Amino acid sequence: ILPTDRFGQMMIENLRARGLELRGLHAYPTLQSNSQRFLDLGWHSAVAVDLATYHEQLLEPLERERLAKIEFLDEWEEFILLAQHYAFTFAFTSQSSHFAHMDIEKPN
C-alpha cells in the first residue's frame, strides 16, 4: 500500500529493477481501498490492516518478544516504515465476524 509516498516509490522502483510488478497496487493503494475492494464484490465485511499495526496491536506480547529474539533489527524505525507499506485484508461472507476478537478499526 501507499505507492505514492517517497518510500513507496522507492519500493516500486526496486521491484521493477528485479522484473516484478504489483499489478493491483495503484488500483488499491490504501487500507480503505483494499477493504472496499472486497465489499464491492459482495463480501459481508472486510478490514485491512498494515503490517506495522498488526505487529503492534494484534500480536500477543510474548509473540513479539519471541520474534524480536529471532530477528534482531538494528533500525526499528526502518521496520515500521517498511511494514506500513504491506497489508493484510481480512474478509468474510458470513454474518458473524471471525475477526471480531482482533479489535481493529474498520475503515470508513
Side-chain angles (χ1 to χ4, degrees):
I1 60 171
L2 307 177
T4 58
D5 70 11
R6 188 172 180 181
F7 191 84
Q9 291 172 351
M10 181 182 69
M11 287 177 53
I12 291 169
E13 289 303 316
N14 287 338
L15 291 170
R16 189 173 290 137
R18 291 166 176 77
L20 302 171
E21 180 183 357
L22 301 176
R23 295 182 184 207
L25 183 59
H26 293 287
Y28 307 102
T30 65
L31 293 173
Q32 183 174 354
S33 64
N34 273 276
S35 295
Q36 193 62 48
R37 172 187 196 179
F38 284 89
L39 297 173
D40 291 346
L41 292 170
W43 292 69
H44 181 265
S45 184
V47 62
V49 60
D50 66 51
L51 184 56
T53 301
Y54 183 85
H55 182 271
E56 291 302 311
Q57 294 182 15
L58 302 176
L59 280 183
E60 296 291 329
L62 289 175
E63 181 65 6
R64 280 196 302 273
E65 289 177 28
R66 186 185 77 78
L67 291 172
K69 291 175 186 174
I70 294 171
E71 186 65 41
F72 180 75
L73 294 171
D74 293 331
E75 294 292 331
W76 187 249
E77 294 82 14
E78 189 174 314
F79 168 75
I80 296 299
L81 182 61
L82 178 74
Q84 289 171 336
H85 288 78
Y86 289 87
F88 299 102
T89 303
F90 300 95
F92 56 95
T93 57
S94 67
Q95 293 293 326
S96 65
S97 172
H98 298 285
F99 307 113
H101 67 283
M102 294 175 69
D103 194 30
I104 51 179
E105 287 188 29
K106 290 184 181 181
N108 297 330

